Amino acid sequence: AQSVTQLGSHVSVSEGALVLLRCNYSSSVPPYLFWYVQYPNQGLQLLLKYTTGATLVKGINGFEAEFKKSETSFHLTKPSAHMSDAAEYFCAVSVGSGNTPLVFGKGTRLSVIA
Amino acid sequence: NAGVTQTPKFRILKIGQSMTLQCTQDMNHNYMYWYRQDPGMGLKLIYYSVGAGITDKGEVPNGYNVSRSTTEDFPLRLELAAPSQTSVYFCASSSQGGGGETQYFGPGTRLLVL
């Protein structure tokens, strides 16, 4: 079965600094990988996803993530943090098709300090 | 296009009471899901449905029931509320299941069982 580990339940960065949120997955077959963002008191919104092809994936709001098979990682980055990026971020993995579920990590709360 | 809508937004239940959490989507998606989100635990799948009349258990189904009589609606029923069911509940939908399909989330229902 697949699983996701997000390193760091809380990350704090200064405005303008690099954002790096870490995600490692476990899967015996090629995975599909997702990052979702949850703003306070809202549902989850897709930031980006990796399915096939280019391993560097660009998403909304200037975020990107790189799929590294050798490291089983899918870390999320943004060159310069904005105050509006403060939210909770979830990494998720899925495999195959049909009824296989989406498995979420425990989430990382990002705080941005002015 | 409203996407995925959930009602109510917030509810307080007494132990042993029952209630139904409503979920509706207007995207004509085949797949629908119910998750619960507990602090620091990410999202756990409760039940899912691959189409009208077809439902299946997820990771944490105990204490819940679902039905899917139409493509649009996927209500979640709590028969005998317990404090352990205090959580935030999210409904989601996707066009297809598994693989690289994006799930679209509702705004959530916050439930407190006292």
Side-chain angles (χ1 to χ4, degrees):
Chain A
Q2 61 271 27
S3 65
V4 173
T5 301
Q6 291 184 240
L7 295 177
S9 60
H10 183 210
V11 171
S12 186
V13 300
S14 298
E15 193 174 19
L18 171 71
V19 175
L20 171 60
L21 304 182
R22 299 178 186 274
C23 172
N24 288 90
Y25 69 91
S26 172
S27 175
S28 59
V29 296
Y32 301 97
L33 295 159
F34 304 77
W35 276 100
Y36 281 86
V37 61
Q38 183 182 31
Y39 297 105
N41 299 314
Q42 295 187 26
L44 278 70
Q45 176 184 359
L46 182 71
L47 265 181
L48 51 80
K49 66 179 181 182
Y50 168 79
T51 55
T52 59
T55 56
L56 182 62
V57 181
K58 295 186 183 298
I60 61 172
N61 301 335
F63 284 93
E64 62 181 36
E66 186 171 10
F67 170 57
K68 292 187 176 180
K69 183 179 178 181
S70 61
E71 298 178 7
T72 61
S73 69
F74 192 56
H75 301 331
L76 182 70
T77 61
K78 182 174 180 178
S80 176
H82 294 169
M83 297 298 289
S84 59
D85 295 327
E88 188 144 22
Y89 293 80
F90 293 94
C91 183
V93 63
S94 179
V95 298
S97 61
N99 298 340
T100 53
L102 194 59
V103 176
F104 286 86
K106 293 183 177 181
T108 297
R109 183 163 60 90
L110 175 67
S111 296
V112 181
I113 303 168
Chain B
N1 200 353
V4 180
T5 57
Q6 293 181 239
T7 57
K9 289 186 178 180
F10 177 67
R11 182 77 181 268
I12 299 175
L13 279 184
K14 294 182 179 179
I15 294 172
Q17 286 185 322
S18 62
M19 77 165 292
T20 299
L21 283 67
Q22 301 291 346
C23 175
T24 300
Q25 54 91 8
D26 63 359
M27 297 174 282
N28 200 33
H29 283 171
N30 291 318
Y31 283 68
M32 296 187 74
Y33 313 82
W34 274 107
Y35 294 90
R36 59 176 288 170
Q37 182 183 30
D38 300 302
M41 298 301 295
L43 279 75
K44 303 288 187 183
L45 182 65
I46 305 172
Y47 271 96
Y48 67 98
S49 170
V50 304
I54 307 170
T55 63
D56 207 349
K57 296 177 180 179
E59 183 180 358
V60 290
N62 292 343
Y64 307 95
N65 282 298
V66 294
S67 59
R68 182 104 180 264
S69 57
T70 67
T71 299
E72 296 77 20
D73 300 307
F74 189 41
L76 178 71
R77 178 83 176 164
L78 283 71
E79 292 294 348
L80 291 170
S84 60
Q85 293 178 306
T86 293
S87 188
V88 181
Y89 292 85
F90 288 101
C91 180
S93 72
S94 64
S95 177
Q96 299 296 325
E101 286 294 321
T102 298
Q103 292 187 17
Y104 297 86
F105 285 79
T109 293
R110 188 175 298 272
L111 176 65
L112 180 59
V113 181
L114 299 175

